[in-house]
Amino acid sequence: MQDTPPRAADLLAQRLYEAGCRHAFGMPGGEVLTLVDALERAGITFHLTKHENAAGFMAEAVHHRDGAPAILVATLGPGAMNGINVVANALQDRVPMIVLTGCVEADEALTYTHQVMDHSQVYRSITKGTYLLTAEGADIVADKAVSLATQPRPGPVHIDVPISVADTRVSSPKRRRLAKAAAVAPEGNCLEKARRWVAEAERPFAIVGLDVLYDGSSSVVQAFLEHFGIPFVTTYKAKGVVPEDHPLCLGGAGLSPLADQHLVPLVEQADLVLCLGYDPIEMRPGWREIWDPEETRVIDISAVVNDHYMHQAGLNLVADTGATLEAIAKGNPARATWPNSEPDQVKTALAQAFPTDDEWGPAAVIAETRAALPAETLATADSGAHRILLSQMWNCSEARGLIQSSALCTMGCAVPMAIGLKLVEPERPVISFSGDAGFLMVAGELSTASEMGGNPIFLVFVDASLALIELKQRQRQMGNRGVGFDRHDFAALGRALGGYGHTVHNRQELRAALDAAQAADRFTVIAAEIDRGGYDGRI
């Protein structure tokens, strides 16, 4: 007796399993029931969430731990549209994601219009590519999607799946796999110029970016920086690729004008700038063209051609970061750098700019939380004023120790990301940091946290204000309009949806709440009440 041929949906699911995927997130509808069934049969657990946008952020968090593409599942029409924000985020934040949507057949759509729309047309501008699954080409479409999503720079790929195609049995399917490209390093004149520039640099400086997260070069990057004595910053998403307690590390850079007051002048003093996997999509305008490649030697090593015009370089190398650095360093002796110790002075100034000894306020909340939680804690950050402060103060000893939306900078990401992290790292402490407005956007997902189990901590900065926007209003001498709202009982909300809740007003209360949360058998919401204006002079 012959085995029953696989369905087209099975071929798609099997390819995703082969890519390392073990979790998928979303909300089902009748149009994706076969897809969900196929995912489960392939060994990929489907997790029901309360909103597709949150589902995508949970999936992204899982990707940051297991390295496999994130999977978002949405039904046709409103389901597919609910995922727009998180898919756009995946594109800008370079997250490999497979977006699976159900759709009706083309013939059916000719005369039936209820909830029918062109998903591909909508998704085309916010994905690396969009495909329509066919029965005979299911395996090829699946492999193309995985390959495109994971190729530099990674991003989301959309697959629209007609109902009848998902159910169609495919006899003798041909399996095809795109061969993985080998790491490439420069050679010839470009390599010799790079070697000479590094050898001659007296004041080198490096900016390490998120490409390093994907090319596996963090250990080579660290060895290179140590060998040549090169001080460095990372972008927010690359925090921890070299442990931030390293003596050459000057922390994260990107969105803090206060940090930039110290970092940018140092960059301007450099006689060599090395952009190591640096994608400036994470950076504020203050980092746009802060050097002149006609006056400063700049080596840009990136995964793709940098056509963003955020900065220019005298030597552009589209190559693997690690292989390139090994080629530059080979036989190249170390030398003393920065004879006047300017980087050390900047490091001291940054520590003074972001003190940990405030009596209370957002900086005190972050400092006390960092001190109370173990070093191996995984953290997520929502967008807002607190994220800028957190990204400067929360030291990471490993890559992806703090994850956030650092390119699209979308609100509502931290809570679902923390849920995803706790799902795949149940033994590690997990905490999310949210402003009260961002938390309210996704508060319903606390029920998902309760259903999934574990004890993630959801910390909320409560100041009843869109603090960052309100700060900008005041800076422009505008009135307070459209940025304030009521203070709510977030601790009670946590208890109502199946967890614990604490409201804290000082360091002692916060420490007690954090201690209780770590020992808790389910999630905890900690509402830290702070004054409006608490971020003034801090970010």
Side-chain angles (χ1 to χ4, degrees):
M1 181 176 178
Q2 292 184 337
D3 292 335
T4 303
R7 300 165 296 181
D10 293 321
L11 296 177
L12 171 58
Q14 289 164 12
R15 178 64 185 94
L16 294 174
Y17 183 89
E18 182 184 309
C21 302
R22 298 296 182 268
H23 300 274
F25 300 81
M27 292 193 73
E31 295 75 20
V32 294
L33 292 180
T34 300
L35 266 178
V36 171
D37 180 70
L39 291 169
E40 289 274 355
R41 287 173 180 267
I44 300 172
T45 302
F46 177 78
H47 301 277
L48 173 65
T49 66
K50 306 307 176 287
H51 195 282
E52 290 83 354
N53 204 53
F57 282 118
M58 292 180 202
E60 176 184 338
V62 171
H63 154 72
H64 287 309
R65 303 315 301 172
D66 67 12
I71 302 178
L72 170 62
V73 180
T75 193
L76 88 174
M81 295 305 99
N82 275 348
I84 291 296
N85 178 272
V86 74
V87 176
N89 181 82
L91 181 66
Q92 293 215 345
D93 275 50
R94 317 310 191 195
V95 176
M97 176 181 286
I98 305 299
V99 184
L100 303 176
T101 59
C103 66
V104 302
E105 288 75 17
D107 289 340
E108 180 79 354
L110 291 173
T111 57
Y112 184 74
T113 58
H114 177 66
Q115 293 187 318
V116 175
M117 58 187 301
D118 190 340
H119 296 161
S120 297
Q121 183 68 17
V122 175
Y123 276 104
R124 190 162 288 117
S125 66
I126 56 170
T127 60
K128 294 182 71 178
T130 178
Y131 298 97
L132 178 68
L133 194 74
T134 65
E136 293 300 322
D139 183 72
I140 296 175
V141 168
D143 188 64
K144 281 188 173 185
V146 170
S147 298
L148 182 58
T150 55
Q151 287 169 12
R153 288 182 167 125
V157 175
H158 168 241
I159 304 177
D160 220 12
V161 184
I163 302 170
S164 64
V165 169
D167 283 314
T168 300
R169 299 287 175 179
V170 182
S171 301
S172 303
K174 293 182 179 179
R175 294 189 176 276
R176 301 184 185 180
R177 299 291 178 265
L178 186 66
K180 187 175 181 180
V184 176
E187 57 183 17
N189 293 336
C190 288
L191 176 59
E192 289 308 311
K193 180 184 284 189
R195 286 170 52 80
R196 177 169 57 83
W197 283 7
V198 170
E200 293 174 353
E202 295 183 354
R203 299 182 307 280
F205 187 87
I207 307 173
V208 184
L210 59 78
D211 285 353
V212 176
L213 295 176
Y214 291 103
D215 62 18
S217 63
S218 58
S219 60
V220 177
V221 168
Q222 180 172 340
F224 182 90
L225 297 172
E226 290 172 345
H227 178 71
F228 292 106
I230 303 174
F232 68 95
V233 294
T234 70
T235 63
Y236 286 169
K237 216 167 185 74
K239 280 171 65 70
V241 292
V242 177
E244 291 195 290
D245 60 359
H246 195 285
L248 291 169
C249 182
L250 297 175
L255 296 180
S256 170
L258 179 58
D260 288 356
Q261 290 177 18
H262 305 283
L263 292 172
V264 171
L266 184 67
V267 177
E268 292 173 339
Q269 295 177 58
D271 60 1
L272 173 66
V273 177
L274 294 123
C275 300
L276 308 181
Y278 170 43
D279 183 350
I281 197 168
E282 297 186 69
M283 311 299 276
R284 63 187 292 269
W287 285 80
R288 184 168 51 203
E289 296 186 326
I290 62 173
W291 56 72
D292 183 348
E294 298 295 328
E295 298 179 0
T296 303
R297 291 175 171 178
V298 180
I299 302 174
D300 193 337
I301 305 169
S302 60
V304 298
V305 174
N306 273 341
D307 55 5
H308 45 68
Y309 286 84
M310 273 282 286
H311 66 255
Q312 301 293 319
L315 188 55
N316 291 280
L317 305 175
V318 180
D320 179 83
T321 311
T324 301
L325 294 181
E326 287 181 331
I328 293 173
K330 187 175 182 180
N332 215 347
R335 61 177 297 175
T337 61
W338 294 93
N340 296 322
S341 301
E342 293 91 343
D344 292 334
Q345 298 168 25
V346 169
K347 194 165 190 173
T348 299
L350 285 168
Q352 294 171 349
F354 298 97
T356 60
D357 58 356
D358 285 4
E359 182 176 344
W360 189 238
V365 171
I366 294 168
E368 191 67 27
T369 303
R370 178 70 280 187
L373 296 181
E376 67 270 19
T377 298
L378 299 173
T380 69
D382 213 21
S383 287
H386 69 279
R387 179 173 75 94
I388 299 175
L389 190 58
L390 185 77
S391 297
Q392 300 302 140
M393 296 183 64
W394 189 269
N395 287 340
C396 293
S397 59
E398 63 179 293
R400 298 183 169 101
L402 171 64
I403 60 175
Q404 55 186 290
S405 170
S406 53
L408 190 64
C409 295
T410 184
M411 295 171 68
C413 67
V415 167
M417 279 181 166
I419 294 172
L421 288 179
K422 195 65 179 181
L423 176 68
V424 292
E425 296 278 12
E427 302 305 318
R428 295 185 65 169
V430 173
I431 185 168
S432 74
F433 293 89
S434 302
D436 39 9
F439 188 84
L440 288 169
M441 289 181 176
V442 292
E445 296 298 340
L446 293 178
S447 62
T448 306
S450 178
E451 292 156 5
M452 288 189 179
N455 62 344
I457 303 169
F458 304 110
L459 193 150
V460 190
F461 295 85
V462 182
D463 58 5
S465 173
L466 294 171
L468 184 59
I469 309 306
E470 192 268 339
L471 175 60
K472 293 178 179 180
Q473 278 183 333
R474 286 190 284 111
Q475 289 172 339
R476 296 179 62 182
Q477 298 181 330
M478 293 179 171
N480 186 295
R481 296 183 177 90
V483 294
F485 46 91
D486 291 340
R487 289 180 181 260
H488 301 287
D489 192 341
F490 293 95
L493 184 60
R495 293 191 291 270
L497 290 174
Y500 298 101
H502 306 273
T503 301
V504 301
H505 305 86
N506 54 56
R507 281 181 179 256
Q508 293 73 27
E509 292 176 356
L510 174 59
R511 177 66 70 114
L514 289 167
D515 289 344
Q518 292 180 75
D521 59 349
R522 51 190 184 270
F523 78 82
T524 298
V525 174
I526 300 177
E529 294 274 355
I530 59 175
D531 293 334
R532 284 194 179 186
Y535 296 97
D536 288 8
R538 283 284 185 254
I539 58 176

